[in-house]
């Protein structure tokens, strides 16, 4: 699957539904590691949502709007963060 980020860079990734053994792994800018499960539609407004699973403790699943998952880190709110994107692909 491919997306275009807000800075016009292209990102290719694989979800667990596409290939469980090769699902893409992302690092959140605060440090936790997550595996992308799938892209889903929110039932009320049909927005694309990323379903992702924490690779820690009890492996909780989370959802976030696709545009927010792939967004740049808000440098005004987090000026000391060195990571460019909210979630950086590491595998």
């Amino acid at each position: 699957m491919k997306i275009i980020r807000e800075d016009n860079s292209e990102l290719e990734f694989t979800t667990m539904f596409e290939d469980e053994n090769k699902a893409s792994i992302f690092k959140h800018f605060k440090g936790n590691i997550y595996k992308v499960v799938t892209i889903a539609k929110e039932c009320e407004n049909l927005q694309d949502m990323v379903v992702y699973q924490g690779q820690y403790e009890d492996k909780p699943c989370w959802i976030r709007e696709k545009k927010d998952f792939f967004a740049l880190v808000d440098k005004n709110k987090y000026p000391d963060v060195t990571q460019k994107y909210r979630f950086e692909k590491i595998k």
Side-chain angles (χ1 to χ4, degrees), residues 72-90:
L72 296 165
V73 172
D74 182 345
K75 295 295 185 170
N76 292 322
K77 191 171 180 180
Y78 303 100
D80 298 329
V81 171
T82 58
Q83 189 165 305
K84 182 175 181 177
Y85 298 104
R86 177 179 295 274
F87 289 88
E88 293 266 348
K89 183 178 172 189
I90 59 174

Side-chain angles (χ1 to χ4, degrees), residues 37-76:
V37 176
T38 194
I39 304 297
K41 293 280 187 194
E42 200 281 327
C43 66
E44 296 294 323
N45 58 26
L46 302 179
Q47 285 183 307
D48 284 338
M49 307 291 282
V50 177
V51 181
Y52 55 106
Q53 183 180 36
Q55 300 301 291
Y56 54 87
E57 298 163 6
D58 60 348
K59 297 195 174 196
C61 283
W62 303 92
I63 60 170
R64 181 183 293 272
E65 285 185 35
K66 185 177 168 184
K67 67 181 181 67
D68 292 337
F69 186 92
F70 295 108
L72 296 165
V73 172
D74 182 345
K75 295 295 185 170
N76 292 322

